[in-house]
Amino acid sequence: MTSAEAGTLRRLAPPARRFLAHRKGVLVRLALWSLAESGQAFLVGHAVARSVDEGFLAGDPRRGLLWLGIALVAVLSGARVVRGVFAQLAGVTEPLRDGLVRRAVDRSMARAARGGPGGTDRAAVSRLTNQVEIARDSFAGLVLTLRSFVFTAAGALLGLLSLHPALLVVVLPPLAAGLALFLVTLRPMAAAQRRALAADEALGDHAARARAALRDLAACGTGPGAERRGADLVADAAAAARTLAGWAAVRTAALGVAGHLPVLALLVAVEWLRGHGVSVGALLGAFTYLVQSLLPALHTLMTALGAAGSRLLVVLDRILGPEPEPEPEPEPGPGPSTVSAPAAAFTVDTAAVPALELRAVTLSYGVRAEPVLDALDLCVAPGEHLAVVGPSGIGKSTLTRLVAGTLAPSRGEVRVAGRPVTARPAAELAALRVLVPQDAYVFSGTVGDNLAYLRTDASRAELDAAVGVFGLGPLVERLGGLDATVRPAELSPGERQLVALVRAYLSPAPLLLLDEATCHLDPASEARAEEALAGRAGTLVVVAHRLSSAVRADRTLVLDGVRAQCGTHAELLGRSPLYRDLTGHWNS
């Protein structure tokens, strides 16, 4: 058990005692059924010993068969005992489930009642479904195994004592040694499991990001750095796995000592036991106690404590633990002219309404998840051209979705043209901004309809001019002109992106957001498209596919997962190590 789990156990102990105190009747009935199980374990081994000593070895096979029949009845009665145990178990586990559901609902409602950004409890569904069921099943498993071990062990040990006290002298030492060794492994193995899980998650996250960023790694020349990071994570995961395997080996040894050594000790000590008056029947009865009752119960106990116990503590801590204190909401006021960084030199005219403003924007995908964006402040002036750079998975696409209003921040506020975008109707958002994603959408229709989709009143002359600005003339001619029908499957990814960029160019929206919308274009076509979009009346924000996009922009926002920095190309070369690194790889 880790120190964190020990603290959780201490915190959960008082409510657990109160919960059990209100169910004394159920616990008493459960104990009575368990006593029947203890008697069953006692009777089976005792009947086997009597059948041998008083029956078959004494020349009375009828008496021997009678005792074997009693043992058979004891075994068959186990079904009735198990049925009674499960009937009473429901009286403990179902109230626990109901109480956890009430607690989860009360917490979620209280959080929603507080309101404000991030007020919704996004983990409520998980707690009401998966986590509550894990707690119910784990608690039921622990109650079953602990109860079974205690009463079965009591019946078996009492049976060994009744057969001959010398049997306990042989059986108890290896049994106690194995159990003690197992208990010693609980805490370090739980810690090793947590470290191994964290290492596996980190490696999987890095692999997913690298797989999605192969194009970026090749374009920026940062492949060797990603490879070194991956090698470090593999080494960490391997070290954690080796530690976990070492403790698993110790636990297996403990299970072997407790599960097999008593039988071997009994076999080795047969001559000594016979010399101390232990009969053949008592020896067979002792083997029956070990193989049929004591050792299976011990094996089940070790398995349950090692797995279900840790899961139960973690889930109960999630549901019953203290509610994290909400962070204070940022005070409304004039947004700063830069992101959270040392002074950026770009000056914003405070008399004008910013084209884009982020005020202490934080986004986390889950209550306890690390924030993707953390207290980000940004102010973009009307007509400004801003590039956004950073490693894949750092939050660039998340930022564009927040600005576009398709994703709500956990905390903070996003404004476009002075208006909040969160929860704004789609029609109003469409008038404020245009988002062009990486996978451009082209529908089955005419070329002209595709280009004028965001501005249906565009004239033929305006369409022809836009086609010329983007160098789309050869494609339009190949398709048969503006009135020709487009078959999207016949266009390459780069051609679809050019159609989408012309569509955004013709849009009357004052803000254009390009989320790697030029990734399938060659560098010359990308530069031509970005210069055309920057020259239109409005503001341009580009998630850069190549560092040349940052050089062309008025300012660049660098996201590195620690703190965002914003400035011109020259300023960022002086104060952003990540930007210098990316630029160096790009230039080389």
Side-chain angles (χ1 to χ4, degrees):
M1 182 182 297
T2 64
S3 57
E5 288 171 335
T8 300
L9 194 58
R10 287 191 297 269
R11 185 171 62 252
L12 297 178
R17 285 194 295 266
R18 290 194 297 270
F19 173 80
L20 295 176
H22 288 85
R23 285 154 186 86
K24 293 179 180 178
V26 175
L27 295 177
V28 168
R29 290 191 293 273
L30 188 60
L32 291 176
W33 280 111
S34 300
L35 281 174
E37 186 173 357
S38 183
Q40 175 206 10
F42 172 84
L43 192 57
V44 170
H46 194 79
V48 169
R50 288 291 187 90
S51 70
V52 173
D53 287 338
E54 300 177 7
F56 300 112
L57 290 182
D60 189 354
R62 293 181 60 184
R63 189 178 183 85
L65 291 174
L66 177 62
W67 277 109
L68 287 181
I70 293 174
L72 178 61
V73 171
V75 171
L76 295 178
S77 67
R80 182 69 182 93
V81 172
V82 170
R83 179 181 177 184
V85 166
F86 272 89
Q88 300 306 317
L89 184 66
V92 179
T93 57
E94 295 308 311
L96 173 70
R97 179 184 181 277
D98 295 342
L100 294 178
V101 168
R102 283 193 297 271
R103 170 66 176 173
V105 171
D106 290 344
R107 170 181 284 192
S108 181
M109 295 295 290
R111 186 178 179 88
R114 287 200 298 266
T120 302
D121 188 356
R122 297 174 178 84
V125 174
S126 174
R127 284 197 291 270
L128 284 172
T129 54
N130 186 42
Q131 294 184 30
V132 167
E133 294 305 316
I134 288 176
R136 193 260 304 268
D137 294 343
S138 299
F139 180 68
L142 285 176
V143 170
L144 282 174
T145 53
L146 286 171
R147 175 207 56 79
S148 178
F149 174 75
V150 169
F151 286 93
T152 301
L157 293 176
L158 185 61
L160 288 171
L161 181 62
S162 70
L163 294 178
H164 200 287
L167 293 171
L168 291 179
V169 175
V170 176
V171 170
L172 273 182
L175 195 67
L179 187 58
L181 183 59
F182 168 75
L183 294 176
V184 167
T185 66
L186 283 179
R187 181 169 182 171
M189 190 164 184
Q193 285 174 334
R194 287 178 179 268
R195 288 195 298 270
L197 179 61
D200 286 342
E201 288 177 348
L203 179 58
D205 183 61
H206 175 76
R209 290 185 178 186
R211 184 172 59 250
L214 290 177
R215 186 182 63 253
D216 292 345
L217 297 175
C220 299
T222 54
E227 183 179 357
R228 288 192 297 272
R229 174 61 177 161
D232 292 340
L233 290 173
V234 169
D236 292 343
R242 284 193 295 270
T243 302
L244 183 60
W247 284 110
V250 176
R251 177 172 288 182
T252 302
L255 196 57
V257 170
H260 302 291
L261 200 56
V263 177
L264 294 177
L266 202 58
L267 288 172
V268 171
V270 165
E271 186 176 352
W272 180 83
L273 290 170
R274 292 286 292 156
H276 285 74
V278 179
S279 66
V280 175
L283 286 172
L284 289 177
F287 280 113
T288 302
Y289 281 129
L290 288 177
V291 176
Q292 295 296 324
S293 300
L294 193 58
L295 299 186
L298 181 63
H299 185 278
T300 304
L301 173 70
M302 290 183 173
T303 304
L305 283 180
S310 297
R311 288 199 305 268
L312 180 62
L313 286 179
V314 171
V315 171
L316 289 180
D317 187 41
R318 296 282 188 183
I319 299 176
L320 300 178
E323 177 80 8
E325 290 294 328
E327 297 183 20
E329 297 297 329
E331 292 293 333
S337 61
T338 64
V339 296
S340 304
F346 192 91
T347 303
V348 176
D349 181 9
T350 55
V353 176
L356 168 62
E357 189 176 13
L358 276 70
R359 299 178 178 178
V361 168
T362 297
L363 180 84
S364 298
Y365 291 107
V367 176
R368 290 177 171 82
E370 290 293 325
V372 180
L373 299 174
D374 192 5
L376 178 62
D377 293 325
L378 177 66
C379 192
V380 181
E384 186 180 357
H385 178 188
L386 178 76
V388 182
V389 301
S392 289
I394 204 66
K396 304 188 296 294
S397 295
T398 297
L399 176 63
T400 60
R401 291 178 61 196
L402 286 169
V403 174
T406 61
L407 183 64
S410 303
R411 289 184 298 275
E413 186 178 43
V414 180
R415 288 177 173 266
V416 173
R419 305 175 188 177
V421 298
T422 303
R424 187 168 290 276
E428 295 183 19
L429 287 175
L432 293 175
R433 88 295 180 264
V434 171
L435 172 62
V436 184
Q438 177 179 340
D439 297 322
Y441 175 69
V442 176
F443 56 85
S444 297
T446 67
V447 177
D449 289 341
N450 270 279
L451 298 180
Y453 179 72
L454 299 177
R455 187 183 167 193
T456 55
D457 61 345
S459 65
R460 179 59 67 97
E462 289 172 324
L463 293 178
D464 289 335
V467 167
V469 168
F470 283 82
L472 206 61
L475 173 62
V476 174
E477 291 179 6
R478 192 191 82 203
L479 295 174
L482 293 175
D483 296 325
T485 300
V486 176
R487 295 179 178 84
E490 297 178 358
L491 299 182
S492 69
E495 290 169 341
R496 289 197 292 270
Q497 283 189 335
L498 281 175
V499 171
L501 292 172
V502 173
R503 181 190 300 154
Y505 175 81
L506 291 169
S507 166
L511 174 63
L512 295 187
L513 304 169
L514 307 186
D515 186 6
E516 296 197 12
T518 60
C519 63
H520 296 299
L521 303 181
D522 59 80
S525 299
E526 179 185 63
R528 181 174 186 172
E530 286 186 1
E531 289 171 0
L533 293 170
R536 73 187 283 277
T539 304
L540 177 64
V541 176
V542 178
V543 173
H545 170 60
R546 300 180 178 90
L547 261 295
S548 53
S549 296
V551 176
R552 286 189 291 267
D554 298 324
R555 283 192 304 162
T556 298
L557 173 65
V558 181
L559 300 177
D560 63 1
V562 179
R563 64 172 186 174
Q565 298 197 58
C566 192
T568 64
H569 175 69
E571 291 169 345
L572 291 174
L573 286 176
R575 69 167 181 253
S576 173
L578 174 61
Y579 190 77
R580 284 197 303 271
D581 186 44
L582 294 175
T583 304
H585 284 298
W586 173 60
N587 287 331
S588 64

